[in-house]
Amino acid sequence: MKSTSALFLLLFIAITTSTQAQQLGLSRLFYPNATLSANYVVPTNSATTPNFGLTRTSFLGIIPVQSEVQGSVSLKKKFDLRAVHTVLIGQYTQLQPTIEGTNFPDNGYKTVSLGAIRMQASIKDRLWVYGAAIGMTESNETIFTPQPFLWGGAARMRIIGLRSQIIYGSILTYNQKLRFVPVFGINQRLGKQWRATALLPFMVDVNYHPTKWFSMDALAGVNGYSGGFQVQTAEEKLLRRQNYQHVKLGLSANLHLLTVFNISAEAGVAGFRQLRTFNGARENLTSSTPPFAPYLGVSVRYLTSRSKFSSKFIGKFGLGDKGSVNF
C-alpha cells in the first residue's frame, strides 16, 4: 500500500497528519487518480504507558489542472522550451484513537487538506518542484475553532542517466509552531525489477516489481497527527491538542489490475511512538511513549484517466517506465 507521489515531492511532513503508507511512484502526479485507504494500529501498552490504538480511513484525490509546453526566446536570443504540470491534491481523513479501549475523543478527528504541486521542466532551469498546502485536524467539538496546519516549499530535481534522479530543497511548515525542514530525496533503479526511493528525513522505500500486475515494497516512514479536542470541567470547556507520531516499518503487496486499479495490503510494526497532550498555551500536559505495535493497512487506487502528454512527459524525464504509471 502506498501514499501518493506527493510524498516524494514534499507532502508529508505537513500531511504527515495524513500520510497513509510510504511507497512512492512519482509518475502518479501526472494522472488524475483517487485512493481509498484504511490503517489500523493494534492497541498496545506497557507497565508505564496507556493502552493506545489508532484507526485511520482516508480518501485522497489528485486532479491535474495544467499540462502544457511553452517556448520562449530571451533578449540574448537564446531559445528555451518549458513544460509545466500542475495538480491539485485534496484529502479527507477520519482518525479514531483509542485509549484503554475507549474512543478518545468520542467521534475521533477529521483531517481536511487541500494542496497544489507544480512541476516545471525547461532546457535552461532543468526540473523544479513547487508545492503548498493548508489543512486542519479537529474533533467535532473544535471544528469551528480550528488551528490550521500549512506548508510551502521548493525543490530541485536532477536526472542522472537513465536510472537515477535526486531531489533537494526545503519546506517551511506550520503546525502549532514554525519549522524549517531541509529535504533530500533519491529515486534509484537497482536493476530491471528493483527500485529504491527515499525522501529524507521522512521515508525510505524499496520496490520489487517482478511482473506488470504484481509488486512488493519494504518501507519505513514517519506518520502521525496533531488534533484538537475539548475537555469539559465543572466550570468551563477547555481546548486541548493531542499530538501523536510513530515510525512505520512494513511490507506491502500490490496488485495492478486492468491498468487502472491498484489494490494493496500492508503489514508491519509502528515504533518510536510518542503521544502528547498540550493546552492552549502549548504547554505539555502529558507525555508517553507507547511500545512497538503491529499495524495493518489496505488501499484501493483508481486511475481515472491517462493522457499522451503525461505519458511522454514522465517517459522523457525517467519518472516512469516507457510512459507507464509507477503505482
Side-chain angles (χ1 to χ4, degrees):
M1 182 169 89
K2 305 166 278 190
S3 104
T4 84
S5 50
L7 245 175
F8 184 72
L9 301 175
L10 301 170
L11 254 177
F12 301 135
I13 182 170
I15 315 190
T16 192
T17 53
S18 54
T19 305
Q20 303 308 310
Q22 310 302 329
Q23 196 275 333
L24 306 173
L26 183 58
S27 63
R28 284 184 232 130
L29 273 182
F30 291 86
Y31 300 102
N33 62 89
T35 302
L36 288 172
S37 60
N39 288 262
Y40 177 60
V41 179
V42 179
T44 56
N45 67 341
S46 68
T48 58
T49 61
N51 190 311
F52 179 80
L54 177 65
T55 301
R56 180 197 302 267
T57 56
S58 179
F59 171 81
L60 183 143
I62 297 180
I63 303 174
V65 294
Q66 180 189 29
S67 290
E68 61 183 28
V69 177
Q70 306 164 345
S72 64
V73 179
S74 68
L75 295 177
K76 296 181 180 181
K77 297 184 179 180
K78 291 185 177 182
F79 177 76
D80 190 27
L81 186 65
R82 184 176 64 169
V84 177
H85 187 78
T86 306
V87 298
L88 295 180
I89 301 175
Q91 185 157 18
Y92 173 80
T93 301
Q94 175 69 39
L95 298 154
Q96 184 56 73
T98 60
I99 298 179
E100 300 298 343
T102 302
N103 290 349
F104 184 83
D106 290 342
N107 298 297
Y109 300 106
K110 296 170 177 61
T111 293
V112 180
S113 63
L114 180 65
I117 299 288
R118 177 184 175 94
M119 300 187 71
Q120 180 174 301
S122 72
I123 299 173
K124 179 181 177 181
D125 297 324
R126 302 302 180 183
L127 183 57
W128 280 87
V129 181
Y130 307 92
I134 186 170
M136 66 177 186
T137 301
E138 303 292 341
S139 64
N140 287 358
E141 292 75 23
T142 63
I143 197 166
F144 295 109
T145 55
Q147 294 187 27
F149 62 82
L150 53 91
W151 66 268
R156 175 80 176 271
M157 179 178 284
R158 291 186 178 274
I159 297 171
I160 305 171
L162 299 176
R163 291 177 172 265
S164 307
Q165 302 93 37
I166 63 172
I167 186 170
Y168 53 89
S170 60
I171 58 177
L172 193 64
T173 73
Y174 177 79
N175 193 354
Q176 300 184 69
K177 65 179 181 179
L178 202 62
R179 293 182 178 90
F180 173 81
V181 184
V183 295
F184 175 80
I186 184 168
N187 186 33
Q188 175 68 52
R189 178 172 289 282
L190 303 176
K192 185 177 181 180
Q193 299 174 334
W194 292 87
R195 181 186 297 272
T197 305
L199 180 63
L200 303 176
F202 308 122
M203 57 71 55
V204 177
D205 175 273
V206 177
N207 175 255
Y208 174 58
H209 209 308
T211 71
K212 292 182 178 181
W213 59 270
F214 178 74
S215 66
M216 297 186 66
D217 294 278
L219 54 93
V222 178
N223 191 257
Y225 65 86
S226 176
F229 66 97
Q230 219 173 54
V231 174
Q232 178 69 59
T233 68
E235 296 80 19
E236 59 181 335
K237 295 180 179 178
L238 302 176
L239 294 178
R240 297 284 187 264
R241 292 202 74 81
Q242 183 183 72
N243 287 13
Y244 172 72
Q245 182 174 297
H246 66 223
V247 176
K248 295 171 64 175
L249 305 170
L251 296 172
S252 72
N254 319 295
L255 294 176
H256 318 302
L257 307 175
L258 303 176
T259 72
V260 295
F261 285 101
N262 174 255
I263 301 173
S264 299
E266 180 181 341
V269 295
F272 308 101
R273 304 201 289 165
Q274 292 185 339
L275 180 65
R276 297 179 180 177
T277 302
F278 297 87
N279 62 16
R282 300 192 183 94
E283 297 171 329
N284 191 16
L285 301 178
T286 64
S287 181
S288 64
T289 54
F292 277 72
Y295 79 86
L296 301 170
V298 294
S299 73
V300 178
R301 177 174 293 105
Y302 172 58
L303 189 70
T304 58
S305 68
R306 300 177 67 171
S307 70
K308 292 182 179 180
F309 176 89
S310 297
S311 296
K312 290 180 179 179
F313 196 96
I314 66 173
K316 177 67 174 177
F317 288 96
L319 305 178
D321 299 321
K322 296 182 181 180
S324 65
V325 180
N326 292 334
F327 274 106

